[in-house]
């Protein structure tokens, strides 16, 4: 139910600016998920030697949740971007 208007109003940007960067709210969400996963991966790589087992359990759980979300018909667009879930 998220609309481009809601996003642009909250971000205080115009519709044109939004569409210059993203073709849809789904693309915005995919980009945000991808950026978060990339950040998490970079953090994991930096702290791998000192990482606690709890971090790995969390990441494994997060991966399962994202895969379940991707299987939901309303989020089928995620299946087209499997690198997000890798």
């Amino acid at each position: 139910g998220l609309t481009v208007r809601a996003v642009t109003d909250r971000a205080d940007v115009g519709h044109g600016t939004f569409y210059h960067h993203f073709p849809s709210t789904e693309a915005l969400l995919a980009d945000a998920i991808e950026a978060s996963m990339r950040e998490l991966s970079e953090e994991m790589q930096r702290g791998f030697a000192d990482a606690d087992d709890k971090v790995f359990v969390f990441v494994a759980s997060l991966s399962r949740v994202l895969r379940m979300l991707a299987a939901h018909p309303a989020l089928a667009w995620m299946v087209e971007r499997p690198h997000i879930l890798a």
Side-chain angles (χ1 to χ4, degrees):
L2 182 64
T3 65
V4 172
R5 177 164 301 285
V7 172
T8 57
D9 287 351
R10 178 83 185 255
D12 196 26
V13 298
H15 280 79
T17 301
F18 178 90
Y19 285 113
H20 177 74
H21 296 281
F22 304 101
S24 65
T25 54
E26 290 85 1
L28 171 65
L29 179 59
D31 188 69
I33 291 170
E34 188 173 358
S36 295
M37 295 301 288
R38 187 173 40 253
E39 237 177 85
L40 181 58
S41 175
E42 289 167 1
E43 281 293 319
M44 294 284 296
Q45 289 173 4
R46 280 194 293 275
F48 188 76
D50 302 324
D52 187 302
D53 286 342
K54 293 177 186 174
V55 173
F56 295 106
V57 170
F58 168 76
V59 171
S61 298
L62 180 61
S63 177
R64 284 191 294 275
V65 168
L66 290 174
R67 289 178 197 281
M68 286 189 307
L69 286 173
H72 191 280
L75 298 173
W77 55 269
M78 289 181 80
V79 175
E80 297 169 7
R81 297 178 70 135
H83 60 282
I84 295 171
L85 304 176

